[in-house]
Amino acid sequence: NKENPKKKNKKKKNKKKPPPQKLVFVDGSWYHRPDPITNLFRNPSLEFQTGPRLPNARYLDMDAIASSQELFPERNPKGLMHMMPTGRLFRLAMDAFGISGGAGSGMDDHVDHVIIYAKRGALFTPRIWFLFVSMGHDPDRVHLMQGSLEDWIEEGGEVEDFSLLGSEDGEREGTVGYGFERFFDQGILNVTRLFHEYYHTEEVQTRYRSSVEEALNICGKQDVLNAVNAFLEQGESKRNGDGLVDDNTIIIDTRGSGYKRKGHMPSAIHLPYSQLASADNPLVLRPKEELRKLFIERGIDVMNPKQKIILSCGSGVSVCHGYLAMKILGREMTEENTRIYDGSWMEWGRDDEDNPKIFPTI
């Protein structure tokens, strides 16, 4: 018996399809140094408000969507900067931005495609990329724009060039989640207000789909101390190559001049984040073969999943350049073999922290 073609067509017609992705631009501009011309710190949120910006973009402040001492005194008693947020705070922020997501979502759940960009002079968009990935957004739907907003404009890309100052929030259709309008001040999310009204309110269920409660691939000071002590106990003569020790855990420090100027952890291997980016455009990563060479020159086998790696920097921001570079090279990432030290030198190097340190010689 042949299959009835009408029944076959009916099955195809009724087959459930996943909802389409929504493309979301996220401005991750953040400046760690004063402007070289004015010697003043730029205000990225104000620049976002005045424009230009990519169409329907959101501005994400890594210092606001974080476990700040103000909001989380028990989690961050030392007052460290831009520590990774809790899963609930991140989900609430995504709901406020109207961003759908998570990893492993079902057929009914739609995961938005997030494109992160920044203005010329900002360097650390990989930190915003890592924020999304570590909080459970599908890594296949989070990408970095290579180049700055100004590069985009010079290539003829479309932008919004009107100011949000004095405007009513919610005027930019689709940029604010339903019911979250009051948490925005002229286009900028007020995370403190969002936290105080919704964070501890059990009745407020988040729509953003993610089961992550603590950021993935993050470690604390004790894990770093264990790696450093293992190195010190074995001694310099027992190092297995450049910085590798027998317990198979290495530390990569991605700071720039601060590595030598402020000191570093014993056994730390220096790989400045600036070397991972193009010399001509710091918002463009180097080609894969050039990235691979930088690790090989330092004796780091990123393709060996048994090689445990901890990344540290000044305050947990530039480390994400190193993490992203290893991801691009195809490293098999697990929570056991590749971790970022969230506190980094900001915690380790404090005067009141009795941690092993190597200080610069005068």
Side-chain angles (χ1 to χ4, degrees):
N1 296 330
K2 292 184 179 181
E3 184 178 357
N4 188 328
K6 291 185 178 180
K7 288 185 178 181
K8 188 175 181 180
N9 291 337
K10 187 174 182 181
K11 286 182 181 180
K12 283 187 176 182
K13 184 177 180 180
N14 292 337
K15 187 177 180 181
K16 196 171 185 180
K17 294 182 179 180
Q21 296 181 41
K22 179 170 85 247
L23 185 65
V24 179
F25 293 118
V26 171
D27 185 337
S29 299
W30 182 85
Y31 306 101
H32 72 307
R33 291 176 180 170
D35 184 273
I37 298 176
T38 65
N39 202 33
L40 298 173
F41 272 100
R42 294 167 62 178
N43 185 333
S45 61
L46 179 60
E47 291 181 0
F48 176 84
Q49 289 173 310
T50 56
R53 62 194 158 266
L54 290 185
N56 290 329
R58 286 77 155 162
Y59 175 70
L60 194 155
D61 184 350
M62 74 170 78
D63 288 320
I65 303 177
S67 294
S68 66
Q69 186 180 40
E70 176 190 0
L71 302 184
F72 299 93
E74 294 183 358
R75 287 176 62 91
N76 188 4
K78 299 174 185 177
L80 304 177
M81 296 186 297
H82 35 255
M83 299 291 285
M84 295 295 288
T86 64
R88 179 163 174 79
L89 182 63
F90 181 80
R91 292 192 298 273
L92 282 171
M94 294 303 103
D95 283 356
F97 286 135
I99 296 177
S100 300
S105 298
M107 194 71 96
D108 292 328
D109 300 320
H110 123 202
V111 181
D112 290 335
H113 186 184
V114 175
I115 305 292
I116 300 158
Y117 75 96
K119 297 189 74 172
R120 195 170 285 164
L123 308 175
F124 300 109
T125 50
R127 172 59 166 75
I128 307 300
W129 169 85
F130 179 77
L131 173 64
F132 273 91
V133 172
S134 68
M135 298 312 297
H137 202 86
D138 186 341
D140 292 330
R141 298 189 184 180
V142 189
H143 291 88
L144 290 179
M145 188 171 82
Q146 295 297 281
S148 65
L149 174 64
E150 289 81 359
D151 295 325
W152 169 270
I153 294 172
E154 290 168 5
E155 291 293 324
E158 180 185 357
V159 295
E160 295 175 354
D161 57 5
F162 55 87
S163 175
L164 300 178
L165 298 176
S167 66
E168 292 291 330
D169 292 311
E171 285 184 354
R172 297 161 67 231
E173 186 178 355
T175 62
V176 177
Y178 177 75
F180 286 86
E181 290 83 1
R182 70 180 184 278
F183 297 111
F184 284 81
D185 299 322
Q186 300 177 106
I188 302 299
L189 176 63
N190 188 319
V191 178
T192 301
R193 190 187 307 156
L194 177 68
F195 174 86
H196 287 304
E197 290 197 30
Y198 277 178
Y199 191 83
H200 295 293
T201 305
E202 294 183 1
E203 292 79 11
V204 177
Q205 300 294 318
T206 55
R207 293 188 287 267
Y208 184 90
R209 303 283 182 166
S210 174
S211 61
V212 173
E213 294 301 335
E214 297 290 340
L216 305 174
N217 297 93
I218 288 288
C219 72
K221 188 181 74 171
Q222 188 58 50
D223 298 291
V224 183
L225 190 60
N226 292 342
V228 169
N229 284 339
F231 167 81
L232 294 174
E233 289 170 5
Q234 292 177 79
E236 187 77 17
S237 62
K238 294 185 179 180
R239 293 176 73 176
N240 178 23
D242 295 331
L244 305 183
V245 291
D246 291 344
D247 81 334
N248 207 31
T249 300
I250 63 173
I251 299 170
I252 300 176
D253 193 322
T254 61
R255 283 178 294 167
S257 61
Y259 176 85
K260 294 182 178 179
R261 183 166 46 86
K262 296 182 178 180
H264 59 86
M265 304 163 189
S267 82
I269 301 172
H270 192 207
L271 176 54
Y273 70 90
S274 59
Q275 293 189 19
L276 299 170
S278 168
D280 299 326
N281 191 331
L283 286 172
V284 175
L285 290 174
R286 289 183 180 275
K288 287 178 67 172
E289 287 310 309
E290 293 183 18
L291 293 175
R292 194 186 319 277
K293 182 180 178 182
L294 289 169
F295 286 98
I296 292 175
E297 289 173 345
R298 290 162 174 79
I300 304 170
D301 183 5
V302 298
M303 301 309 292
N304 179 6
K306 295 181 179 180
Q307 173 67 78
K308 296 179 182 178
I309 297 175
I310 294 175
L311 298 111
S312 179
C313 64
S315 60
V317 175
S318 72
V319 280
C320 299
H321 278 71
Y323 188 96
L324 177 59
M326 289 190 287
K327 183 74 173 177
I328 290 172
L329 290 174
R331 175 172 171 80
E332 182 183 326
M333 304 284 207
T334 70
E335 285 202 75
E336 290 73 35
N337 72 8
T338 313
R339 293 173 293 168
I340 283 176
Y341 175 24
D342 203 11
S344 285
W345 190 257
M346 178 174 53
E347 177 181 38
W348 189 274
R350 286 166 58 119
D351 293 337
D352 59 344
E353 295 286 340
D354 186 22
N355 305 314
K357 307 177 185 75
I358 296 177
F359 290 108
T361 56
I362 300 176

